[in-house]
Amino acid sequence: MQKLLFTPGPLSTSKTVKEAMLEDMGSRDHAFIEAVKEIRTGLLTLAGVSKESGYECIIIQGSGTFGVESVIGSVTGEHDTLAVLVNGAYGERIVKMAKINRIKHIVLRFDEDEIVTPEATQKFLSENPGITHVACIHSETTTGLFNPIEAIGTVCKAHNKVFIVDAMSSFGGVEMNIQQMHIDFLVSSSNKCIEGVPGFSFALCKRTELEKAKDQGRSLSLDLYDQWNGLETSGQFRFTPPTLSIMAFRQAMRELEAEGGVAARANRYKTNKQLLDEGMATLGFKQYLKPEIQGHIISSFLYPSDTSFNFESFYNKLNDRGFVIYPGKLSKADAFRIGNIGQIFPDDIKALVAAVKEVLL
């Protein structure tokens, strides 16, 4: 039985993406180097920018967290101060990175069911003029909310701050122009909305800010500038690259284009979410977030009020039927999460809702 992954990643992938990994590939093969070049150019295009307009794409081996830490640990200098805007577990993860990397930082926290507001950001930056860099999550998959990144970016630009965005679970599933959104560094990974497989993350960077990171990386393997310099100089990675993940990702990018691009994919995901929300509401489930701050990537559902509900049993029964959902990460409420992204289509959502109804009986 082929299980469907209703998670924020890794995701269900197409057969053709999987098949792209069947041929072994050397890291110095011409075909592989060309694939890396195609991916780096294509990712900038998805973000509405290009090398010619002053942006660079850097691929980093490892999960999305590796990419975020590569940026955080490389672009903040010894005398810089990083502001972290937090309203969930992934914002807290950046705070932990800052502590471990001994980066001077300051945190502005919001409740998990509240967005980061541009007004609060404006006040925070005004009260703390020593801040040089600001980091924020776009799609906070702790809950599924979308922070208003463009409005926050406008505030950061007005205060002349470097803006770092973790768009892990949204890039490729949300139309974005990082120049218009005033994003200097955006990080995502191969196994999210572009529907590739795990293996690498990537950073889309404003070149003038990236160049300032020379010789200030806090890690050998996660040195963002050196990784970029290596790719630019030879087209190759400094250390062993995830060759098969790269080949799968190139196929995934081609399939994204064939689907109609990011706009078409976003529409599919939005349709998935609408059907999921309606179906789960019919079964009596309540969502954790107010509708107006929800994104279309993942939904958080509160446990039923029935005290006999056991999430582990619920999860296992769905898993046995081929539907893999996700546990919650909330600090204040018991909830579970269901993703709307990946190779998931409306009929799959309908089948999931039917399975949920069945296991609740």
Side-chain angles (χ1 to χ4, degrees), residues 142-277:
T142 303
T143 57
L145 64 75
F146 274 11
N147 284 314
I149 290 300
E150 185 164 359
I152 296 167
T154 299
V155 171
C156 291
K157 181 74 170 180
H159 285 263
N160 197 31
K161 311 303 181 187
V162 177
F163 191 32
I164 302 166
V165 174
D166 174 336
M168 206 61 59
S169 63
S170 58
F171 186 77
V174 177
E175 290 188 274
M176 303 177 76
N177 181 304
I178 62 173
Q179 186 170 26
Q180 291 178 6
M181 299 170 92
H182 308 298
I183 297 172
D184 297 296
F185 296 91
L186 178 144
V187 188
S188 190
S189 76
S190 59
N191 56 288
K192 303 292 184 179
C193 292
I194 298 174
E195 299 183 3
V197 302
F200 65 90
S201 54
F202 53 87
L204 308 180
C205 316
K206 189 173 182 179
R207 188 185 304 119
T208 53
E209 293 299 333
L210 172 62
E211 287 171 340
K212 297 175 185 177
K214 185 178 182 180
D215 297 327
Q216 68 178 18
R218 292 172 171 82
S219 162
L220 172 65
S221 59
L222 297 181
D223 188 317
L224 188 70
Y225 181 91
D226 277 1
Q227 186 83 341
W228 171 61
N229 189 50
L231 289 168
E232 286 294 292
T233 302
S234 65
Q236 298 176 12
F237 289 75
R238 295 177 298 153
F239 311 111
T240 304
T243 51
L244 301 186
S245 295
I246 291 282
M247 303 312 290
F249 192 76
R250 182 178 67 170
Q251 176 63 25
M253 289 188 69
R254 292 173 175 178
E255 292 179 15
L256 171 62
E257 183 178 3
E259 186 173 349
V262 174
R265 182 152 296 177
N267 285 335
R268 170 160 62 88
Y269 291 166
K270 289 175 182 177
T271 300
N272 288 347
K273 178 168 174 56
Q274 181 182 353
L275 290 170
L276 176 69
D277 291 352

Side-chain angles (χ1 to χ4, degrees), residues 74-147:
S74 299
V75 308
T76 51
E78 181 181 352
H79 303 294
D80 292 329
T81 298
L82 172 69
V84 189
L85 311 179
V86 176
N87 57 347
Y90 296 91
E92 295 291 357
R93 188 176 293 179
I94 294 179
V95 175
K96 189 172 184 179
M97 290 175 191
K99 290 178 179 177
I100 290 172
N101 284 281
R102 295 179 173 83
I103 297 167
K104 186 178 179 183
H105 64 283
I106 185 169
V107 184
L108 176 60
R109 287 187 172 87
F110 299 77
D111 288 339
E112 290 172 333
D113 59 351
E114 294 181 2
I115 60 169
V116 173
T117 66
E119 294 80 12
T121 305
Q122 163 76 32
K123 183 173 183 290
F124 192 65
L125 294 181
S126 296
E127 292 173 347
N128 297 277
I131 291 169
T132 55
H133 297 66
V134 178
C136 188
I137 311 297
H138 180 209
S139 172
E140 179 48 90
T141 48
T142 303
T143 57
L145 64 75
F146 274 11
N147 284 314

Side-chain angles (χ1 to χ4, degrees), residues 77 281 297 310 328:
I297 302 301
N310 179 278

Side-chain angles (χ1 to χ4, degrees), residues 278-339:
E278 292 171 353
M280 294 294 281
T282 300
L283 298 178
F285 284 94
K286 291 181 169 40
Q287 296 194 52
Y288 178 64
L289 295 176
K290 298 186 292 290
E292 56 267 26
I293 64 171
Q294 287 189 34
H296 52 270
I297 302 301
I298 192 166
S299 303
S300 290
F301 295 97
L302 295 168
Y303 285 8
S305 55
D306 184 349
T307 55
S308 66
F309 178 81
N310 179 278
F311 175 74
E312 186 174 354
S313 173
F314 178 68
Y315 175 92
N316 288 335
K317 288 177 180 178
L318 287 175
N319 187 66
D320 290 344
R321 288 163 173 77
F323 302 97
V324 181
I325 63 171
Y326 219 57
K329 270 193 175 184
L330 301 179
S331 59
K332 295 182 179 179
D334 291 323
F336 60 89
R337 296 174 287 172
I338 298 179

